[in-house]
Each structure stands twice: as structure tokens, then as C-alpha cells.
Amino acid sequence: MIEKFSHTYQVWTAKDFRFHTGEVAPTLNIGFITLGNPSGEVIVILHGTTGTGAGMLDSAFGDELFGPGQPLDAAKYFIVLPDSIGTGQSSKPSDGLRTLFPKYNYDDMVDAQYRLLTEKLNLKHVRMVLGNSMGGMQTWLWGVKYPSFMDILVPMASMPSEMSGRNWMMRRLIIDSIRNDPEWMNGNYVKQPRSLQFASVFYTIGTNGGSQGLQRQAPTRAKADQLMNERFAAPFAGDANNYLYLFEASRDYNPLDQIDKIKATVLAINSADDERNPPELQVMEKALARISNARLLLIPASDQTAGHNTTGQAKWWKQEVGALIESAPYLK
């Protein structure tokens, strides 16, 4: 958990931040956590949709990576965990602008991270960028937008191709469920629309957990109902406009045409039961063939994996990443 690691949570304000739409925000807040050895090689870790940098310090992720002798030992490395635009302590619609907030995309998120690293932290190069889910897609963008900035890219639970198929259709369902709810009131709601939590649970069940993993948790109808009831009764602090912006931010994501710009060593990590990035589409093999030093680690499905969330459990891949960071060549 977070308290196990000595860390600093800060908010840096970027001045005159230009979004891909041409809109310019006079100020843009970027929340971020740093931990570890400030003189060590830099590791940047990017979180998933609706997550935060702090979430990467949880037991399934941080406790497997950052402790003494672990692959990303905080005594050896300097670790940076940014909050993407729209999450955590970074600027987001719920800060006050609501639907007047600029319609950001993943490129804007990566550009904000780049400004944080270069302007606030004065970094010119990092050892590795690793990201999960939305953070994985941002990792692909890092490789094509700033190809000389890192030695290693580890995009997880993602593909370097545009939103399509089930992945985009399910995103449309959560977007449209909120927008079509009269309680949303064009973003000017006085209480959170009830559709938000329902759509979020629906989306999670449909695109997370893995078929075998969910069957293990809910092997009977009664246990399936119990699991659903628990999820609906769980505390939920999401904001409808924030969720809409975050899911819509993927609308124009598509680094595939520029994939050959990547110079870093790439270890792409997906799970065989990932509902959003099914391996049978063979997108990854074709993309990796265009990168000079790249390979795929595909985690086999089992009743212990969790579908799209498998990569959120570092135990499945930490040794591979640890070996890579020791062996990958330096670009600078």
C-alpha cells in the first residue's frame, strides 16, 4: 500500500497549455507522485482510465515492484507517477468548467506528461515508460511522439491501433448511457446522474475480469447476483463529466501509421483473456513486426487471471520487466 513507500505528491501548473484542438488553457494542473532515488535512472508509470498515479502504489502493483530487491526497487530507481489530464489532482471538468473544459485526447495527456518531466523535473531522458490500459496506449504514443526520450517502452493491456470493435462499442455504451440520462442535464447536473454507476458496473463486467476469472468468483447464479449486488452497493465517487471526457479521449487514438518511428526497445504485455484487446485479432503481431526491437509477452488465461485487469497484477510480468531493464540498450 501507499504508506509502505516514502513518496511525494505534488501538483505542478503548466502555463499556456495548448490542446490539440488549438484551445489554450492559461494554466493546467498536473498531479504527480515521485518516489525512490532522485539520482537513479528514471521510470515513468502511467495509469489506466479513471485511475490515478497513486493507484499504481497498490498491493497488486506497487508492492510487487518497488520494494527492496524487487524489479523496480525504489532505492535504485527514481519513479514518476503522473495523474493524466482529467484524473486525480490534474485539471478536469469537475474543477468547475464542466462541459466547457477543452475536449482533450490522449495526445494532450502525453504532451502534459512530457511538459511535467522536462519543465518541472528537468529530465532530458528516462530509462523506461511503462503504462497499463489507457496508460499503455499513452506509452505507444510516447514512442511515436518522443522516440528518443526513453530506452524502453512497456505498453500493457493495449494495442497500437484505433478504437474499434467491442472496445469502442462498449465505450459508446457508457458514453451514451450518461448522455441520454435526463439527470445529466447537458452536464449541468446538481447530483450525479444515476446512470453513471450503473454504466460503470456494466462496462466493467463486460470488459474486465476474464471469463474464467469471473466464473471462479461467480460459479452459480446466486453468487453472480451477490457479486453484482456488491458492486452496485460499493462506494462510488465518480463524476459523470469526468467519465465522459475520459472515455471520449480515446476517440482519435491511432498510432499505428507512425509505429515505425519507435526507437526504444519494446516489450508489449497483454493477457490472452483481455476482453478489450483480444489476441485473435493479430493486431499486435503485425505492429511489432514494424519495430526493430520489439516482442510480445502474452499472459495465458486461467481462472487466476482477470481479463483486461490481468496486467494490473504485476506478479504476472515483473520478472520479465526486471530482466529487460537490466539488458536493454541505452539510446543516450
Side-chain angles (χ1 to χ4, degrees):
M1 299 300 291
I2 291 175
E3 58 268 19
K4 292 184 181 180
F5 306 105
S6 177
H7 66 284
T8 302
Y9 204 151
Q10 302 177 60
V11 178
W12 177 68
T13 301
K15 304 294 185 184
D16 298 322
F17 183 86
R18 181 175 294 275
F19 290 85
H20 76 287
T21 58
E23 295 172 89
V24 177
T27 60
L28 182 81
N29 291 335
I30 304 171
F32 67 104
I33 287 174
T34 57
L35 67 151
N37 183 354
S39 62
E41 294 180 331
V42 180
I43 309 295
V44 180
I45 297 180
L46 308 174
H47 63 78
T49 308
T50 75
T52 64
M56 311 310 280
L57 295 173
D58 68 9
S59 58
F61 198 93
D63 282 5
E64 298 281 343
L65 294 172
F66 305 141
Q70 292 180 326
L72 302 181
D73 188 338
K76 181 177 180 182
Y77 297 103
F78 184 59
I79 300 158
V80 184
L81 309 170
D83 291 338
S84 285
I85 297 173
T87 70
Q89 296 302 308
S90 293
S91 294
K92 50 192 174 293
S94 64
D95 291 341
L97 287 177
R98 298 192 175 210
T99 56
L100 296 179
F101 195 86
K103 300 295 191 291
Y104 61 81
N105 66 2
Y106 285 0
D107 288 275
D108 296 322
M109 292 173 163
V110 170
D111 289 342
Q113 293 158 4
Y114 180 79
R115 288 192 60 180
L116 169 71
L117 296 177
T118 57
E119 296 178 31
K120 169 60 178 175
L121 298 177
N122 297 314
L123 299 172
K124 294 180 173 57
H125 190 77
V126 304
R127 181 62 173 151
M128 180 169 72
V129 177
L130 178 151
N132 191 43
S133 190
M134 178 181 76
M137 289 185 275
Q138 292 171 357
T139 300
W140 288 111
L141 288 175
W142 264 101
V144 302
K145 291 171 72 72
Y146 305 104
S148 298
F149 195 77
M150 76 299 293
D151 303 316
I152 302 167
L153 292 168
V154 183
M156 303 191 300
S158 63
M159 294 191 295
S161 56
E162 69 177 299
M163 285 290 131
S164 61
R166 179 184 290 112
N167 199 351
W168 180 247
M169 292 176 185
M170 293 297 292
R171 289 165 191 257
R172 271 289 309 276
L173 284 171
I174 194 169
I175 291 166
D176 290 3
S177 294
I178 296 169
R179 280 224 165 91
N180 293 329
D181 186 341
E183 293 182 356
W184 180 60
M185 299 173 63
N186 294 316
N188 296 312
Y189 43 85
V190 294
K191 63 176 182 178
Q192 293 298 328
R194 281 171 288 184
S195 59
L196 174 60
Q197 184 175 12
F198 179 86
S200 297
V201 172
F202 185 99
Y203 180 80
T204 301
I205 290 291
T207 68
N208 213 348
S211 297
Q212 295 181 64
L214 284 177
Q215 184 67 19
R216 175 176 57 82
Q217 295 178 68
T220 66
R221 182 200 56 77
K223 289 188 176 180
D225 281 339
Q226 179 183 353
L227 180 61
M228 288 292 294
N229 292 339
E230 289 171 356
R231 294 194 178 186
F232 281 125
F236 185 80
D239 176 85
N241 287 333
N242 290 349
Y243 270 51
L244 285 173
Y245 270 69
L246 283 164
F247 280 101
E248 288 190 324
S250 65
R251 63 194 176 278
D252 56 358
Y253 165 79
N254 189 13
L256 193 58
D257 290 344
Q258 303 181 74
I259 203 76
D260 48 9
K261 290 183 178 180
I262 292 177
K263 297 180 181 179
T265 299
V266 176
L267 174 63
I269 304 176
N270 279 1
S271 56
D273 55 353
D274 187 336
E275 301 89 344
R276 303 179 204 178
N277 303 289
E280 58 266 29
L281 298 182
Q282 298 186 330
V283 170
M284 192 67 75
E285 290 83 355
K286 295 175 183 177
L288 294 181
R290 296 170 53 190
I291 303 171
S292 59
N293 191 0
R295 67 183 182 92
L296 172 66
L297 170 61
L298 187 66
I299 302 166
S302 73
D303 65 357
Q304 298 301 308
T305 56
H308 182 71
N309 196 45
T310 297
T311 50
Q313 303 169 26
K315 65 181 180 181
W316 301 111
W317 48 262
K318 64 180 182 179
Q319 299 304 328
E320 295 268 0
V321 169
L324 179 65
I325 204 168
E326 294 292 336
S327 63
Y330 289 83
L331 295 183
K332 282 190 176 181

